[in-house]
Amino acid sequence: MVIDTDLTGGRPLSAVPRTTARRGTNLPRMGDFNQTVVLDAIRRSRSGLSRVELAAATGLSAQTLSNIAKRLLDQSLVVESGKVQSGRGKPRTVLSLNPTARYAVGVHLDPAVTTCVILDLSGKVVARSTVRTPTATDPEVTIDVMVTAITELLDKASVNQDRVIGVGVASPGPIDSKRGIMVKPPNLHGWKDVPIRDALSRKTGLPVVLEKDVAAAAVAEIWGGDWDSREHFVFVYLGTGIGMGLVSGEGVIRGSSQNAGEVGHIVVDPDGPECVCGLRGCLAVTCMPANLVNEAHELGVFPDPVDTSDPVSVEAAFISLCKIAGSGDEQARAIIEKSARRVAKAASVLTNALDFDRVVFGGPYWPMLSEVYLDIVPEALHALTVEHSIHPVQVDGTVLGTDVGAVGAACTVFNNAISPQTKRLLLNS
Ligand SMILES: [Zn+2]
């Protein structure tokens, strides 16, 4: 449903001065509601749409569409990309997206690695970079590294900052999304109530939106994955931490404070080690890379203990463990297999509770784990699924690679700026 009126509340993005006054979550919308509906339809069509096809797709009148098309052309957001002949009428002009008209930056702040990407308006990654996340306890040091990464990548890709809609930041939870604050990320030592959104916005002069990493990864999967809007799935994020993003037909389920997906205290081994929450064998103390490398050391796979307070050391040891497992070491492989069964158990709690029928794995460590996990998880999940006689639970790996968090953060920017939002429709009606 759309409002068939030619609202003129939207203003061209190019007319919005890019000053430090444009901060926080005030990401500019790319036009009024109807304009974003039309732009979104053109974007999704890949090969473009004629005005007649747009009328059929959106329900807007020819006059309204004509006005919107003119505005989109004036703002260079779309281009006339040729003509199509259908029937005996005169050829119709096709409107296609102009991918280089606008860009979004995505930054994924992982405790070990910070990944930065630039997406064009079509969602294509045009540039990427990675840098070690500083181990300094002073957040300012890390924020400055992020600013430098963003600036250098824009320069490298020759993207003028005036064409950048905003920066999306994917960070470990929990976050205070209203205030743009990272509350107390477990693997970034010394960080507490860090106002990362406003600090980054002040230093880059760009609007910034903060998203939890698992939610960002789920957004990326919706934008770029083989996704059907009727589907419901759990996105399992495997990184320095493990999180699970929830996607229903309407989009990502973020919860009342944008912190949905905290699955660390689901018990996956009742006889496992004690957890700070008072339970035993939570996901947080059995399946994190830090737990697995400790276990590997105890079993003699590694001669030396690993400094689990240092995310970089944990990452190096974890990569090594996966390589040893891949080379045929039975003990190493057994550690990974056990973690797969436990993660399947945690995922089954969500798929059973929500009656979901698909689990998608991704995150920076997925490529290293995919072989073992795809071997173990489907069967384990099937056995744990209450309704498996009614529907199976499909298990897939993401098609988006290790940058899924950063890509998702940039997609969040586009989501806010382009995708028609039902809330706006309700408020306007
Ligand atoms: Zn716990």
Side-chain angles (χ1 to χ4, degrees):
M1 178 187 167
V2 291
I3 306 167
D4 193 7
T5 54
D6 192 12
L7 301 172
T8 52
R11 54 181 174 168
L13 186 71
S14 54
V16 181
R18 193 190 57 70
T19 67
T20 50
R22 215 180 70 188
R23 280 183 197 151
T25 53
N26 297 322
L27 287 171
R29 295 282 300 169
M30 299 181 79
D32 60 38
F33 180 81
N34 287 351
Q35 183 165 321
T36 57
V37 168
V38 173
L39 185 60
D40 198 45
I42 294 170
R43 183 181 66 77
R44 287 171 191 273
S45 72
R46 306 281 178 196
S47 56
L49 294 170
S50 69
R51 286 171 177 79
V52 171
E53 288 169 322
L54 277 169
T58 63
L60 292 167
S61 71
Q63 183 57 48
T64 300
L65 267 174
S66 177
N67 292 339
I68 291 173
K70 182 175 183 313
R71 288 208 303 267
L72 290 172
L73 286 163
D74 287 347
Q75 294 166 36
S76 302
L77 293 169
V78 302
V79 290
E80 291 184 337
S81 59
K83 291 183 184 297
V84 286
Q85 180 75 52
S86 69
R88 297 170 62 191
K90 64 176 186 177
R92 294 167 181 167
T93 305
V94 173
L95 297 171
S96 299
L97 193 71
N98 178 12
T100 59
R102 301 289 182 272
Y103 297 87
V105 175
V107 184
H108 180 197
L109 176 59
D110 177 88
V113 178
T114 297
T115 306
C116 187
V117 296
I118 299 172
L119 267 59
D120 70 17
L121 199 49
S122 71
K124 184 178 138 196
V125 178
V126 295
R128 72 177 291 272
S129 67
T130 56
V131 61
R132 273 275 166 239
T133 303
T135 51
T137 53
D138 180 3
E140 282 296 317
V141 175
T142 302
I143 289 168
D144 285 342
V145 166
M146 293 166 80
V147 172
T148 304
I150 293 167
T151 311
E152 287 183 357
L153 199 60
L154 287 171
D155 279 351
K156 187 179 142 196
S158 302
V159 170
N160 191 314
Q161 203 163 318
D162 287 341
R163 292 196 170 196
V164 178
I165 300 172
V167 178
V169 176
S171 89
I175 60 167
D176 180 335
S177 67
K178 278 190 188 150
R179 296 191 296 151
I181 285 173
M182 289 170 70
V183 179
K184 199 180 177 191
N187 294 302
L188 287 162
H189 303 292
W191 285 48
K192 191 171 185 308
D193 294 334
V194 177
I196 190 158
R197 183 189 67 197
D198 289 351
L200 208 55
S201 183
R202 196 170 50 247
K203 292 187 179 196
T204 59
L206 289 163
V208 176
V209 61
L210 179 62
E211 179 90 282
K212 196 170 145 166
D213 48 14
V214 286
V219 171
E221 193 60 31
I222 293 172
W223 268 64
D226 176 20
W227 190 77
D228 183 320
S229 62
R230 288 167 299 178
E231 281 190 86
H232 309 276
F233 64 88
V234 176
F235 186 92
V236 182
Y237 176 87
L238 301 170
T240 304
I242 297 175
M244 297 195 189
L246 303 168
V247 176
S248 79
E250 293 292 312
V252 177
I253 299 171
R254 292 185 171 81
S256 58
S257 70
Q258 315 281 305
N259 282 300
E262 291 292 336
V263 292
H265 298 291
I266 292 178
V267 174
V268 291
D269 177 6
D271 300 321
E274 276 182 19
C275 178
V276 289
C277 73
L279 298 170
R280 298 190 78 96
C282 298
L283 201 58
V285 291
T286 56
C287 292
M288 302 295 161
N291 310 136
L292 304 191
V293 297
N294 262 344
E295 202 177 334
H297 167 63
E298 282 162 15
L299 292 172
V301 178
F302 296 144
D304 300 317
V306 179
D307 176 8
T308 50
S309 68
D310 173 22
V312 175
S313 301
V314 171
E315 183 183 74
F318 188 63
I319 291 169
S320 174
L321 173 65
C322 292
K323 275 188 185 157
I324 295 169
S327 69
D329 184 289
E330 283 184 13
Q331 270 188 320
R333 188 174 168 101
I335 291 170
I336 307 288
E337 284 183 354
K338 193 164 62 179
S339 80
R341 277 190 287 274
R342 287 169 166 174
V343 170
K345 195 169 183 180
S348 76
V349 173
L350 298 183
T351 53
N352 282 330
L354 298 163
D355 191 21
F356 279 14
D357 60 3
R358 192 174 170 208
V359 175
V360 181
F361 281 91
Y365 295 152
W366 172 243
M368 289 179 264
L369 297 167
S370 59
E371 191 206 330
V372 175
Y373 271 51
L374 287 175
D375 213 25
I376 301 284
V377 174
E379 204 178 311
L381 203 51
H382 180 79
L384 292 162
T385 298
V386 175
E387 307 90 350
H388 66 73
S389 64
I390 304 168
H391 66 78
V393 178
Q394 192 180 327
V395 178
D396 294 304
T398 179
V399 293
L400 294 169
T402 56
D403 294 343
V404 64
V407 171
C411 291
T412 298
V413 172
F414 283 140
N415 252 359
N416 289 355
I418 304 172
S419 294
Q421 292 173 354
T422 314
K423 200 183 281 180
R424 286 172 60 84
L425 171 64
L426 295 173
L427 290 172
N428 288 342
S429 60

